[in-house]
Amino acid sequence: MSDVTKIVSDIKSGNIKPIYFLMGDEPYYIDKISEFIEDNVLTEEEKGFNQMVLYGRDVAIEEISDSAKRFPMMSERQVVIVKEAQDLSRTIEKLVSYAENPQPSTILVLCYKYKTIDKRKKLYKTIQKNGLVYESKKLYENQVADWIRRVLAGKKYQIDTKATLMLVEFLGNDLSKISNELDKLMVVLPVNSIITPKDIEENIGVSKDYNNFELRKAVGERNVYKSNMIINYFAQNQKANPIVVTISLMNSFFTQLLIYHSLKDKSKNNVAKSLGVNPFFVADYITAAKNYPMRKVSQVISFLREADVKSKGVGANLSSGEILKELIFKIIH
């Protein structure tokens, strides 16, 4: 995020590169940088003649080079943006000849999503020398909660810890989806609000009481009643609570619990670091470890594998609800 802030700050101050090659697995920041250049470098009057948006599937490298080489009309600069540039991956190295001698009055932006170019080849090295290469990497899920808090703080909002974790569980590490949901919340909630689990439930549709976060907690506590309540809710709302996600998250939880049992240093900070979890969760692992000794955890992981196979229709003709009910019974008893 600091790299993006610097890129935007440099553009605002007039330190503009002739080529921006934006690549990587996380499209969110690629879009943000591209949109900032598209919206802010030229005035509305200048854009008509001097801003061009191309798509990788529709153009060849030669056409991009020709467009970038032309001079602006009644403006100091022109902007050429190539969206979905990853569709040119087979021929992208042909851009070397232009990158070696880019037109100073052109800002060429290439949005190369979900891929990266070979850093050993000439194109990467040439753009590094004459322009800017930005690699947008996916955040790990244990980094997303902090990202959410930073984004909201920048817009004068706060968020409850559980509400943050509900968003991460529901949306994973897809920053574009998370950003869209945060925008919805900020439309309905006043500035300086603290976003709560109730806000998430009412505006995004994630139940604050019946979700995988609460199921994991209930199972860890060996709370039979609450676990069954959640499983019954899942069975009635299978589209919003796919079994593959539940099994995957439960498997991650018990795998981490296995690691917890092996730790010599069980201090809160070391547990959070070793398991790659938010410190907020450490108490759940301490409780679960008391209820599930290492031998039982190994057994539970085998139950989860069996349930995963059954959920794919192998060896059993059971509904998702029936598979989960059987699984939770085996785990808790």
Side-chain angles (χ1 to χ4, degrees):
M1 195 168 179
S2 60
D3 290 343
V4 177
T5 303
K6 185 178 187 312
I7 292 169
V8 170
S9 177
D10 284 347
I11 293 171
K12 285 180 178 178
S13 65
N15 181 16
I16 301 176
K17 305 291 185 182
I19 305 175
Y20 289 87
F21 199 98
L22 314 174
M23 65 181 189
D25 294 326
E26 178 50 70
Y28 177 80
Y29 285 120
I30 293 174
D31 287 337
K32 286 296 177 186
I33 297 170
S34 172
E35 287 167 9
F36 180 81
I37 293 172
E38 186 172 356
D39 293 342
N40 294 281
V41 170
L42 299 179
T43 65
E44 289 303 317
E45 293 76 17
E46 291 171 331
K47 287 177 185 177
F49 290 107
N50 298 292
Q51 187 152 286
M52 182 182 300
V53 177
L54 306 172
Y55 288 86
R57 65 178 177 271
D58 298 327
V59 296
I61 295 295
E62 292 77 12
E63 294 173 74
I64 295 170
S65 297
D66 289 344
S67 297
K69 286 176 183 176
R70 72 182 180 88
F71 290 97
M73 294 179 63
M74 297 176 288
S75 173
E76 289 184 15
R77 295 188 177 94
Q78 70 155 343
V79 175
V80 178
I81 298 172
V82 184
K83 298 187 176 182
E84 311 300 336
Q86 68 274 11
D87 289 339
L88 293 161
S89 59
R90 292 183 179 180
T91 57
I92 197 69
E93 283 294 319
K94 290 183 180 179
L95 196 62
V96 169
S97 59
Y98 176 78
E100 287 177 328
N101 188 27
Q103 173 65 265
S105 58
T106 294
I107 303 168
L108 174 61
V109 183
L110 296 114
C111 303
Y112 199 84
K113 297 179 180 177
Y114 314 110
K115 292 183 177 183
T116 59
I117 54 173
D118 192 333
K119 296 177 183 179
R120 298 166 297 180
K121 291 191 175 180
K122 192 172 182 180
L123 178 62
Y124 176 84
K125 294 174 182 177
T126 305
I127 297 178
Q128 279 279 65
K129 178 182 176 183
N130 296 329
L132 182 144
V133 179
Y134 169 72
E135 183 174 353
S136 184
K137 296 180 180 179
K138 279 277 187 190
L139 293 184
Y140 294 110
E141 284 202 5
N142 63 346
Q143 298 173 310
V144 177
D146 286 338
W147 182 86
I148 291 171
R149 282 190 282 270
R150 287 199 304 271
V151 168
L152 288 172
K155 298 181 180 180
K156 298 183 180 179
Y157 286 83
Q158 297 179 57
I159 186 166
D160 173 271
T161 300
K162 183 179 174 181
T164 307
L165 299 171
M166 285 170 65
L167 277 176
V168 176
E169 180 200 312
F170 184 57
L171 299 168
N173 61 349
D174 189 323
L175 301 188
S176 296
K177 285 184 179 178
I178 294 172
S179 179
N180 288 338
E181 298 300 339
L182 293 179
D183 287 343
K184 290 179 190 176
L185 289 167
M186 288 185 282
V187 166
V188 297
L189 298 173
V191 173
N192 296 319
S193 294
I194 299 175
I195 297 168
T196 66
K198 185 179 179 183
D199 295 322
I200 302 295
E201 181 175 51
E202 291 177 351
N203 296 288
I204 297 178
V206 185
S207 171
K208 64 183 176 62
D209 297 314
Y210 301 105
N211 55 63
N212 283 304
F213 168 70
E214 292 296 337
L215 176 62
R216 185 178 64 182
K217 186 177 177 67
V219 169
E221 295 170 351
R222 274 193 154 157
N223 185 328
V224 178
Y225 176 75
K226 188 174 181 181
S227 297
N228 285 328
M229 289 282 287
I230 296 170
I231 288 301
N232 287 331
Y233 177 85
F234 282 7
Q236 295 166 19
N237 300 272
Q238 293 181 30
K239 189 173 181 181
N241 302 278
I243 186 172
V244 63
V245 174
T246 299
I247 291 174
S248 175
L249 291 171
M250 291 294 289
N251 186 67
S252 295
F253 177 68
F254 279 97
T255 301
Q256 289 166 325
L257 197 55
L258 203 61
I259 296 169
Y260 174 88
H261 277 299
S262 69
L263 294 175
K264 292 181 180 178
D265 178 1
K266 288 185 169 64
S267 64
K268 185 176 181 179
N269 288 338
N270 188 60
V271 170
K273 182 180 178 182
S274 300
L275 302 188
V277 299
N278 190 297
F280 179 82
F281 283 127
V282 170
D284 293 346
Y285 288 92
I286 294 172
T287 300
K290 293 174 182 175
N291 290 323
Y292 298 92
M294 187 176 284
R295 186 173 178 181
K296 177 64 176 177
V297 174
S298 299
Q299 188 181 39
V300 168
I301 290 173
S302 70
F303 292 155
L304 286 159
R305 288 173 181 161
E306 289 172 12
D308 182 52
V309 170
K310 288 179 182 177
S311 73
K312 293 165 182 168
V314 179
N317 187 23
L318 300 173
S319 69
S320 294
E322 290 170 328
I323 294 169
L324 283 179
K325 288 175 185 177
E326 180 184 67
L327 171 64
I328 298 305
F329 180 85
K330 286 181 175 181
I331 290 175
I332 293 179
H333 294 84

